[in-house]
Amino acid sequence: MADRKNGDSPTEKASRIAARAIARAAASSAQATDTTPWHDLVVRLGLALQAMREDEYLIVVIRGTNLYVQFAAQGVFGMRAEATSAYYLPEDATISDSQHRALLRLGWGAPTNLPEGIGPHELEGSPNYFVELVPPVDHGWLAALGVATLASVFGAGSPDRLEYSAFAEDGTPLRFPDLRIEEAES
């Protein structure tokens, strides 16, 4: 049954509540005494994002899927983050309408472009859900956005289902062992 106030289903409402809880946890970051695996990941991801330098990339994916969030450090221009859109899912998978609405409510911008090679490509847009943050970047908020997306919208279930890859623009691999999630096999 939909919530009469805003038309949300119980699942959507739960996703919104979970996202707010993760965001609150990120805001309290290292001072928090009440920890959960998701909260711990928000803190660790925020620190990893803060450590990234210009032209470095970090992708966190739900193992065995194409559901991911990715982060690109852009130096003086800030940081860009993206979350999977239907363009990058297998043909039999999609982003549901409720997931689409949840992503927009969390703060992601809707996809604006077709993937490269398929159609026009605007520099300011993306074929994925995206957000651009100018300095000073709020790494805690960005980490909470990424974790809320993986946990609440994409349904990761547990941080144990996640893996990451990271690299510099020249292809040099980067490691973030403090994330405490598995590094994806190359």
Side-chain angles (χ1 to χ4, degrees):
M1 171 163 264
D3 182 314
R4 294 185 195 277
K5 180 179 174 189
N6 56 21
D8 287 350
S9 71
T11 302
E12 291 169 323
K13 187 174 182 181
S15 294
R16 191 175 67 252
I17 291 168
R20 285 185 188 145
I22 291 170
R24 281 193 303 275
S28 61
S29 77
Q31 292 84 24
T33 56
D34 181 33
T35 61
T36 67
W38 289 117
H39 169 263
D40 291 345
L41 181 58
V42 168
V43 172
R44 292 190 309 269
L45 180 58
L47 293 172
L49 296 176
Q50 189 172 12
M52 291 173 65
R53 300 293 169 240
E54 185 170 5
D55 296 328
E56 292 182 344
Y57 305 88
L58 172 62
I59 303 167
V60 182
V61 63
I62 299 174
R63 192 177 303 108
T65 75
N66 279 8
L67 297 169
Y68 59 84
V69 293
Q70 60 187 9
F71 306 92
Q74 298 177 317
V76 298
F77 298 105
M79 188 165 277
R80 178 183 184 90
E82 297 185 347
T84 309
S85 75
Y87 291 121
Y88 297 104
L89 295 177
E91 282 188 30
D92 61 340
T94 189
I95 300 294
S96 70
D97 288 342
S98 63
Q99 287 174 308
H100 172 78
R101 287 190 305 274
L103 288 162
L104 297 180
R105 272 196 310 276
L106 285 173
W108 294 103
T112 58
N113 293 329
L114 294 171
E116 281 192 40
I118 295 178
H121 197 79
E122 299 173 24
L123 291 177
E124 299 300 318
S126 175
N128 279 319
Y129 293 87
F130 68 101
V131 64
E132 299 260 1
L133 296 179
V134 297
V137 172
D138 184 341
H139 297 99
W141 179 86
L142 194 55
L145 175 67
V147 170
T149 299
L150 292 163
S152 300
V153 180
F154 293 158
S158 164
D160 294 338
R161 292 202 50 221
L162 304 176
E163 61 186 16
Y164 81 94
S165 59
F167 51 91
E169 185 175 44
D170 66 3
T172 303
L174 303 173
R175 297 197 62 236
F176 290 97
D178 292 339
L179 276 176
R180 295 189 206 142
I181 58 175
E182 285 187 34
E183 190 171 357
E185 293 182 19
S186 302

